[in-house]
Amino acid sequence: MSKEGSGVLRAWEATIRKTQAAKKGAKNIFGTISVAHADDDDDHHHSHQHHASDGAGAAAGLEPYHAEKILPNGDYYIGQWYDNFPNGRGKYLWTDGCMYVGEWYKGKTMGRGRFVWPSGATYEGEFKSGYMDGTGTYSDCSGNTYKGQWVMNLKHGHGHKTYANGDMYDGEWRRGSQDGHGKYQWKNGSSYTGEWKNGVMCGKGTFTWSNGNRYDGLWEDGVPKGNGTYKWADGSFYVGNWSKDPSEQNGTYYPSGSSPEGNLEWDPQDVYKVDLSEARICPGEKVPILPSQKKLSVWNSSKGGAGERPRRMSVDGRVSVGIERAFDRMNIWGSEEDGVVDPEHLLSLTTFEDGGNLKGTPIKVPVTVKRQGETISKGHKNYDLMLNLQLGIRHSVGRPAPAASLDLKASAFDPKEKVWTRFPPEGSKHTPPHQSSDFKWKDYCPLVFRTLRKLFKVDPADYMLSICGNEALRELSSPGKSGSFFYLTSDDRYMIKTMKKAEVKVLIRMLAAYYNHVKAFENTLVTKFFGLHCVKLTGPAQKKVRFIIMGNLFCSEYVIHRRFDLKGSSLGRITDKPESEIDANTILKDLDLNFIFRLQKAWFQEFCRQVDRDCEFLEQERIMDYSLLVGLHFRDVTTDGELIPCGIATPPGDTAPSDAGPRLSRADMDQLLLDPARWARIRLGINMPARVERTVRRNDCEFLLTGDPTGEYYDVIMFFGIIDILQDYDISKKLEHAYKSIQYDPTSISAVDPKQYSRRFRDFIFNIFAEDT
């Protein structure tokens, strides 16, 4: 190495020592580490000046050049440099000991490279926008090694993993865990080949023990559950229904000809207690910090020039000077415009030099949100109806019934499959006394809905407690467009909707297809139904109230700041409230939409597949007028409710108060991606970390369904699902379509043929959702 290069390295080492010593006290106004250069070191001072001037000269000609730099926070970079960023091939050393050697593009790890952690762990393979993404090999300091496919820091696709204890897995991975088909080989010679789910044996598979015995059949949560066969090496076998619960275990033993009495004393429960006791799956490794979490210190050239980084301008024409300060940081995963911006200009960056004259005012959301609905207390007009409903649910759910199989007979879906129960005020043999009026209760297809609750993993006791506990239901302030009323349980988990007779008929007609669809596709976005019931008041009124119990999509610890009901039509699809009256509970519509929703690659691919499946199902059932309900929780909000775009630091003390709900930092989100336990809370459409890009409609295109993207991004937690799936294309909808087509563009109205509706809905959804690149 040259004398000058040696000086740079010595200076870098000196800077590391000073940085680490000063970390506790040296914080800039944004709360991140900021340590001055070790300018008292002569070699460092000389080298710094030399390369800074070189960089300015090369940048002036907008030509990439080879650079060797000590960056403002003490990091060290050597390699190709362009426009104030690593670009090409280079090595970056962080002060905490992490190192990356490989390809860069505009300051982001992109292409092939090698990332090394201080612990000795390494990843060598493909990167994309700062993430381990593509084909690569990860080896941790314990001796575990994975070689295979990655998507956004997660093992995803086919991969082979060898564990430090001698175990091995070869097969499919999904979001960091074994998922799909694969083979796990234990060090002792036992193996499992079959289906996996979230890192455990689940589905159909074969377990072979080292002594030659084997089990072929169904698995659930890592143990045999359902139909299966246990076979001994001598040829004898046992066939039956398997369960950890001995009362559910039953089967038949068939001895082999050579050993007719060989295993008569054997107990199937020994498989759980003994045979599988040592068959433990090694847990996934925990990466202390991900490559996408590593920040690059932005280089500040001492001279301006043609290569100086372009700066955003605020609406009043002021240049944001904050981008050029020494404590600025750039995230590897961020967009080209990311950087820490002076808080004075924080929310005024609405003119973009490369995006035309797109201007918009800062977006504000409520910091605290009032609970929806009015509590139904004594004296409320629907108090008796609520009591009737709670009594009926308690009776339906608590009624003894045999364990339901997920494979239901056709008779369970018969429209005549209903159970009437009378509830006299004085009580009866099967019902308790109550304070309400005499009423009759009807359960539609009770076995089907009991099995649906089991399929959706709803605990009967929790379900009953949510609806029938000591807390009253809440009635939403106004009925929906259909005239239906909505009620929420006190814990927000369930929504109860009154129904018209025609809607009940549609649901009963499509119930078998609905059941098969949600059973086949765990990630379905269609509404989850838990019960269909009717209350009939006796006496002169003879009033019937039919209602459905559904999951509440927005039941979350996060505050939902924005709600959208999206259909892909434009006629009447705008909120008639002034801006000042729009709050967190306002349902906005298609023409109010001002975002593009950007999902991580794996989630976006799954989203597209599932929307296609769900729309095909609804089309086959002749359903139309459904919509995608979307809820957004913005992760970065100031104390007065203004949204903070991605990559812009939050000034100290300017975060939203604690009652706004939990918020995830980007580092938290990246760490969450590697923790399978925390993944359990995230599903397609539920608690999904994502980004949204702001859009602006031009004045001459106000009825376009989507506006122009501005390049302004926000980190969000997303919730979405397909709702209102009980409107078939009956004669009334055909007449509505014919009537409105005379006055309006037929493509803009909601009531259209199910095939056309499905196509238009999908076109619109795939236009407003995109992969986050």
Side-chain angles (χ1 to χ4, degrees), residues 451-489:
T451 312
L452 278 170
R453 293 195 293 271
K454 179 181 177 182
L455 186 67
F456 294 140
K457 296 180 173 58
V458 173
D459 180 77
D462 290 343
Y463 181 71
M464 197 186 303
L465 194 62
S466 289
I467 301 172
C468 314
N470 295 327
E471 298 292 329
L473 301 178
R474 304 197 312 277
E475 183 180 73
L476 299 192
S477 57
S478 60
K481 187 178 177 183
S482 64
S484 299
F485 282 86
F486 293 85
Y487 304 92
L488 278 172
T489 56

Side-chain angles (χ1 to χ4, degrees), residues 56-63 306-307:
L62 287 178
E63 292 291 333

Side-chain angles (χ1 to χ4, degrees), residues 207 209 211-216 228-239 242 263 266:
F207 196 106
W209 282 266
N211 61 8
N213 296 348
R214 61 184 282 168
Y215 168 84
D216 291 282
T229 302
Y230 188 95
K231 192 171 184 177
W232 284 264
D234 64 8
S236 55
F237 60 95
Y238 170 91
V239 180
W242 292 74
N263 302 293
W266 173 80

Side-chain angles (χ1 to χ4, degrees), residues 740-755:
K740 288 185 176 178
S741 295
I742 298 171
Q743 305 174 66
Y744 308 104
D745 177 2
T747 62
S748 71
I749 61 180
S750 182
V752 295
D753 173 85
K755 191 174 185 108

Side-chain angles (χ1 to χ4, degrees), residues 217-435:
L218 298 176
W219 296 73
E220 188 176 298
D221 292 331
V223 295
K225 180 71 182 291
N227 294 325
T229 302
Y230 188 95
K231 192 171 184 177
W232 284 264
D234 64 8
S236 55
F237 60 95
Y238 170 91
V239 180
N241 183 68
W242 292 74
S243 174
K244 256 183 144 176
D245 183 350
S247 65
E248 295 180 5
Q249 176 84 43
N250 59 76
T252 305
Y253 173 75
Y254 296 90
S256 69
S258 60
S259 151
E261 304 296 326
N263 302 293
L264 285 175
E265 300 301 319
W266 173 80
D267 181 357
Q269 291 298 303
D270 289 346
V271 172
Y272 300 97
K273 298 173 184 175
V274 180
D275 295 9
L276 291 173
S277 61
E278 300 299 320
R280 301 188 182 278
I281 309 299
C282 289
E285 67 281 327
K286 295 292 178 67
V287 180
I289 190 166
L290 300 169
S292 55
Q293 291 173 310
K294 297 303 294 178
K295 310 262 187 180
L296 303 188
S297 180
V298 175
W299 178 256
N300 302 302
S301 173
S302 59
K303 296 181 181 180
E308 187 176 352
R309 184 166 170 74
R311 302 186 234 176
R312 282 184 179 169
M313 300 185 67
S314 64
V315 288
D316 60 2
R318 293 175 297 170
V319 175
S320 175
V321 296
I323 288 179
E324 297 301 322
R325 294 182 181 174
F327 52 76
D328 286 349
R329 311 285 282 175
M330 183 199 70
N331 200 327
I332 298 176
W333 55 266
S335 67
E336 293 176 33
E337 294 288 334
D338 284 349
V340 176
V341 180
D342 188 339
E344 181 185 349
H345 304 295
L346 192 62
L347 293 158
S348 61
L349 307 181
T350 50
T351 299
F352 302 88
E353 293 178 333
D354 56 354
N357 294 317
L358 301 179
K359 295 185 180 182
T361 56
I363 301 176
K364 293 194 73 168
V365 296
V367 176
T368 56
V369 177
K370 186 180 175 183
R371 287 191 86 189
Q372 278 186 288
E374 174 192 359
T375 301
I376 303 175
S377 52
K378 199 160 188 176
H380 191 285
K381 62 179 180 178
N382 287 325
Y383 181 72
D384 282 350
L385 178 63
M386 180 189 73
L387 291 183
N388 298 346
L389 187 156
Q390 291 177 325
L391 285 165
I393 293 292
R394 193 177 289 118
H395 172 75
S396 299
V397 177
R399 186 167 50 215
S405 165
L406 295 182
D407 296 320
L408 297 177
K409 296 179 180 178
S411 58
F413 300 94
D414 192 318
K416 296 177 183 176
E417 194 67 20
K418 337 173 172 167
V419 178
W420 279 102
T421 306
R422 184 167 173 260
F423 282 77
E426 65 276 10
S428 69
K429 183 178 178 181
H430 302 291
T431 63
H434 59 87
Q435 298 177 347

